[in-house]
Amino acid sequence: MTGETTQKRPPVVVVLGHVDHGKTTLLDYIRKSNVAEKESGGITQHIGAYQIEHNGKMLTFLDTPGHEAFSEMRRRGAHVADIAILVVAADEGIKPQTLEAARHIENAKLPFVVALNRIDKPNADSPRIKKQLSENNILIEEWGGKVPALEVSAKTGKGIPELLDMLLLLWDLEEIPAETGLSTQGVVIESRLDPRRGPSATILVTSGVLKKNDALICGEAIGKIRILEDFKGVEIAQATASTPVLVTGMETVPVLGDTCEVVANAEEAIRRSEALVEKRKEEQKAADALLQAASAGVVAASKHILPIILKTDTKGSEEAIIEALLRMTHDEVALKIIEHSVGDITEADVKSAESTRAAIMGFRVTLPRAVEQYARVRGVRVVILELIYEFIEGVRKELSLLLPAEIVKTQMGKVSLLAIFKREKDGIIIGGRITSGKVVRGAWCDIVRNGAIVSEGKIRELKIAKDDASEAKEGQECGMLYVGKGEVPQVGDAVEVYERFEKRREL
Ligand code: GDP
């Protein structure tokens, strides 16, 4: 319990945007220009969040690697960030990941600002990018919307104080429930097994006051806080809401995105942890049953099947991907998820792909060199992708390859049939006058009677008078050896000659 809290806790800011648009540089600049070098010193290990003071107010920045971690945390229902910065390079503009990030922000209902970065570059063109933003439904103030857009340079620092002002202003406008009476809680934003210190986790305190020696439960992990450090690596006795801290003393490594809570004592922690394990088992059973039912249904309705073995980095990605894949339905092709599991690709996966003729689709997993060779020798296709939208597109592409190609016909000429000469072994010799266009030896044609195609085939040989010809034109009479399937041509039919090519279809 905290007692009275008069001041609003600091906002937790997350930085999102397309790769290479400057997220890391921006976070580095803000940290370096606001945290004295000697404090943040090179000795301590840098953790995935930091705090700064700007105009007498604190702000917390999440410094985790991009929106993957953010969406994983959000998926688990942990409300971590309060405000987002959507970084867009002013010399490049909107990219697919910019829009993916914008969707994350929208889904999380976060207030946000757009930082038009790299404004120092000679080819930066923020008016163009602003227009692009509005065209993509990111409604910035200048284009009649509510989202502030600021020009910044993460390299020179231009515009960054204004950006920080804007973040604080947005936070002032946010109404958050009073903290009084809330238990002490947090969210795991990083965790690892430290060779010296054992399981260690970076926890963002979300309410209350976290203290050294507290009995803590983080998801299924339990323990007693042995060391509590701030982001600079300095030992502290306690931490209030929005403070990122490094915690040691847990018995196992807590899972990213899990929520933590201080409990009365170790017995309480054990009881809660066991209850959670049971609950998660039940949820998993239900999810698996749903998946099986869903993929069986999709497959039953279709003809061409693409079997895949799905490997993902986390259970969260797996669920998100399967959900998206199950929405991908088509009359002629379907996906069949033969197996799905979390972890890197193994020889066992390759064996199972070989026997089911499946492709292995991996999401943010690795393919060890030996397994890669093993797959190559067996002719098993392995595709590994790193972004959800790319992954879904990748599967779509694979599925499209199964679609029979579309035959596109472009009309070349028309012949009115005047005579049927004789049947040959593999065709029939017919004669007629070309009423439009031309006829080319070897061309495809349809025999049309009363507006309907009665036979389809090719013109194997072409003669004008008695001479072989490669082409005959409108107005000329010609003889043709027609080879085709369907009914026998009759006088009065039309021969419609066309060029055909195959067009790949896409899902
Ligand atoms: P991230 O992938 O979004 O984290 O992007 P980075 O922060 O790694 O930046 C990608 C590249 O852009 C790096 O080479 C940075 O030095 C460069 N960069 C980032 N911000 C700026 C900026 O404001 N101006 C200029 N000129 N370069 C920048």
Side-chain angles (χ1 to χ4, degrees), residues 116-117 225 250 272 281 288 333 471 500:
L116 296 160
N117 188 33
I225 300 180
M250 303 305 284
R272 293 268 298 269
K281 261 195 213 148
D288 282 349
V333 292
E471 191 176 309
R500 61 177 255 170

Side-chain angles (χ1 to χ4, degrees), residues 31-264:
R31 186 179 55 240
K32 284 194 189 122
S33 53
N34 290 282
V35 181
E37 207 51 56
K38 62 173 183 342
E39 275 186 281
S40 64
I43 322 149
T44 53
Q45 198 188 331
H46 154 193
I47 65 168
Y50 62 80
Q51 286 195 300
I52 62 156
E53 198 179 315
H54 180 73
N55 294 344
K57 290 186 171 161
M58 301 292 286
L59 295 111
T60 302
F61 284 85
L62 286 182
D63 198 355
T64 46
H67 46 91
E68 293 81 11
F70 170 67
S71 60
E72 174 64 18
M73 285 188 266
R74 193 173 53 74
R75 201 193 64 75
R76 287 175 178 272
H79 180 79
V80 221
D82 298 303
I83 302 179
I85 302 177
L86 179 62
V87 175
V88 186
D91 56 338
E92 283 200 5
I94 288 186
K95 296 275 170 176
Q97 267 180 289
T98 316
L99 298 175
E100 190 168 320
R103 269 198 304 277
H104 280 309
I105 294 172
E106 196 187 337
N107 291 341
K109 297 195 172 57
L110 289 184
F112 73 109
V113 293
V114 173
L116 296 160
N117 188 33
R118 299 208 213 145
I119 203 70
D120 60 292
K121 302 248 304 209
N123 54 343
D125 184 357
S126 35
R128 181 175 73 84
I129 314 301
K130 286 179 182 170
K131 181 157 177 283
Q132 252 190 0
L133 286 164
S134 70
E135 286 164 357
N136 283 280
N137 265 333
I138 300 171
L139 303 173
I140 61 168
E141 283 172 347
E142 233 171 276
W143 282 77
K146 292 215 170 83
V147 180
L150 289 106
E151 297 183 340
V152 304
S153 167
K155 197 168 172 186
T156 67
K158 187 168 184 290
I160 293 193
E162 292 79 1
L163 177 67
L164 298 175
D165 288 344
M166 185 55 79
L167 294 172
L168 287 172
L169 182 67
L170 282 182
W171 186 232
D172 272 345
L173 300 174
E174 282 295 296
E175 284 199 20
I176 59 162
E179 262 221 21
T180 318
L182 290 180
S183 61
T184 297
Q185 295 188 348
V187 175
V188 180
I189 59 172
E190 270 173 338
S191 64
R192 67 194 194 103
L193 185 62
D194 187 301
R196 273 189 310 116
R197 308 208 274 188
S200 76
T202 306
I203 293 172
L204 181 74
V205 182
T206 51
S207 66
V209 184
L210 190 65
K211 300 190 196 73
K212 196 174 161 170
N213 292 326
D214 273 346
L216 193 64
I217 166 165
C218 295
E220 295 170 15
I222 56 171
K224 183 173 161 191
I225 300 180
R226 198 164 56 223
I227 305 173
L228 190 66
E229 281 177 0
D230 70 5
F231 75 94
K232 292 172 250 168
V234 177
E235 262 204 75
I236 50 176
Q238 61 176 52
T240 50
S242 297
T243 312
V245 286
L246 188 87
V247 162
T248 72
M250 303 305 284
E251 290 173 15
T252 51
V253 180
V255 174
L256 175 73
D258 269 350
T259 46
C260 312
E261 193 172 345
V262 171
V263 289

